[in-house]
Amino acid sequence: MLITSVSNDKIKELVKLKDKKYRDLNDLFFIEGKDLCDEAYKNGLLREIYILDGYDNIYDGIPVCYVSDEVMKKISDMASFSPYYGVCSKMTSHEMGNRVIVLDDIQDPGNLGTIIRSAVAFGFDTIVLGLECVDLYNPKVIRSTKGMIFNVNIMTEHLTSFLKDVDDYVIYGTDVKDGVDIKSENIPTKVIFIIGNEGRGISNEVREFCQKYIYIGMRPECESLNAGVSASIIMYEVFNK
Amino acid sequence: MLITSVSNDKIKELVKLKDKKYRDLNDLFFIEGKDLCDEAYKNGLLREIYILDGYDNIYDGIPVCYVSDEVMKKISDMASFSPYYGVCSKMTSHEMGNRVIVLDDIQDPGNLGTIIRSAVAFGFDTIVLGLECVDLYNPKVIRSTKGMIFNVNIMTEHLTSFLKDVDDYVIYGTDVKDGVDIKSENIPTKVIFIIGNEGRGISNEVREFCQKYIYIGMRPECESLNAGVSASIIMYEVFNK
């Protein structure tokens, strides 16, 4: 099937996935670019694929629509669109692993995407998002993960209820100056690191669950680091200890 | 003076600073928010200040305009505007320090801002931007630096000409797998690290100047890190050795 009209009903439905409301309603999200579509396909999450007319279909067994330039431009979220656009099922989360990052309401999509990418790079198996975090399926989040979103266990939780029920894990808060230097800390096997919101840091309610604090050694001239950078340096240190 | 009309000539001129062309023509740029205005003032770069009617002027000796809500909304680059909007002279660069980061055409404004912030945190004194880097005075770059843009020496250079003339520095390239682990490398006093573009990495012409390569230890499942994260981890390791 080749779709050439932007007012085609299927295309109208598809464009709605740019809104969180529709993504939630249908348990679907979209991805752009061959690399992301490849990763979704490998992980069995690709449900439909839209391909620019003239490009090859490389996804066996997935329903495909070919679309014109004009239609791809309409459905794409980017200025320079890719020839591959996929619709995916939302991921399901599984049991929490040993190395966990909790995000106490990260707001910036680029930061969330970067943290997911770094978690895969540095062997963190689970990311827990607070209820006020930016939407995991926001297109900018997906893009910033560079396909790594499919390679890590992601849970969304009411953080204080979640932390109350956690057993056997050492829970670390991150702070600019308080606590122990991450370089000199012996990290236990089962560990949770909490990263605070870009503006306010870790909320007071969540702070109550922190058993220890760690900091990243830096010059006092700089008050703090970008949240994506802080999370990445902590995971890097734990992986490379 | 209180300006209440968005068609005021001064306001019309001011809004033009959102375009790189006008920033370059006038050697000026704009900043938003009290924190950034404070940093610019401390560093003697604040030239004019626009304050939302009803807020205090805390910048002695700087020409001030009070503006209405509607005018602030017009000049602001953000959805939720701040009561302080400053016009600054562009910074001048000075002689290169011992610890230098060279950016071979970073494109994402958030990445450039983050690298500037991390450079101040980890004691890198000079950042050299290639000619094709995103504009340093792009409002998103400025915001992401969190005021740190005023605390580091930033130069813009034709990179191959610049690297050809460098003496006494060890020039490191960064690569995903080649070279030496940053953790085990003894870093010399005068050092340059080159960070490549988000898509293509370090260009072939610039690669010719790399004397050594370093990598960041990570799992093979992840092909690379975000450029802002890579640069930050390298600077973090050098600072905390």
Side-chain angles (χ1 to χ4, degrees), chain B residues 48-204:
Chain B
E48 281 183 82
I49 181 93
Y50 293 78
I51 302 178
L52 192 63
D53 192 26
Y55 284 80
D56 289 339
N57 180 14
I58 42 186
Y59 306 102
D60 269 0
I62 307 293
V64 59
C65 280
Y66 290 92
V67 299
S68 66
D69 235 62
E70 195 192 0
V71 171
M72 194 56 108
K73 200 170 168 181
K74 167 89 179 171
I75 60 181
S76 172
D77 197 57
M78 291 160 79
S80 62
F81 57 80
S82 143
Y84 295 92
Y85 186 103
V87 175
C88 300
S89 300
K90 284 194 181 181
M91 296 165 295
T92 48
S93 56
H94 52 82
E95 213 182 322
M96 192 159 80
N98 285 342
R99 291 183 171 179
V100 179
I101 279 276
V102 167
L103 304 179
D104 186 9
D105 302 339
I106 289 292
Q107 291 304 299
D108 181 85
N111 283 346
L112 178 54
T114 294
I115 293 171
I116 291 170
R117 191 173 171 192
S118 293
V120 176
F122 300 130
F124 271 66
D125 34 52
T126 301
I127 299 173
V128 181
L129 311 178
L131 297 180
E132 302 303 319
C133 266
V134 55
D135 182 32
L136 174 62
Y137 299 102
N138 174 311
K140 284 188 200 158
V141 173
I142 309 272
R143 274 203 294 280
S144 318
T145 70
K146 299 284 171 191
M148 292 302 113
I149 195 168
F150 301 111
N151 300 326
V152 63
N153 179 31
I154 303 177
M155 302 156 71
T156 298
E157 298 285 346
H158 184 282
L159 290 188
T160 52
S161 314
F162 164 78
L163 290 166
K164 206 179 289 171
D165 289 342
V166 153
D167 256 342
D168 296 337
Y169 286 79
V170 178
I171 303 175
Y172 285 91
T174 47
D175 211 316
V176 180
K177 276 155 197 115
D178 277 354
V180 188
D181 187 339
I182 177 79
K183 270 222 184 269
S184 55
E185 179 71 359
N186 283 321
I187 305 294
T189 312
K190 296 180 85 164
V191 71
I192 293 175
F193 291 93
I194 302 178
I195 305 293
N197 166 283
E198 290 92 343
R200 64 150 161 75
I202 303 177
S203 66
N204 289 336

Side-chain angles (χ1 to χ4, degrees), chain A residues 44-55:
Chain A
L45 293 168
L46 196 59
R47 290 291 156 264
E48 281 184 80
I49 182 91
Y50 292 78
I51 302 179
L52 192 64
D53 191 25
Y55 284 81

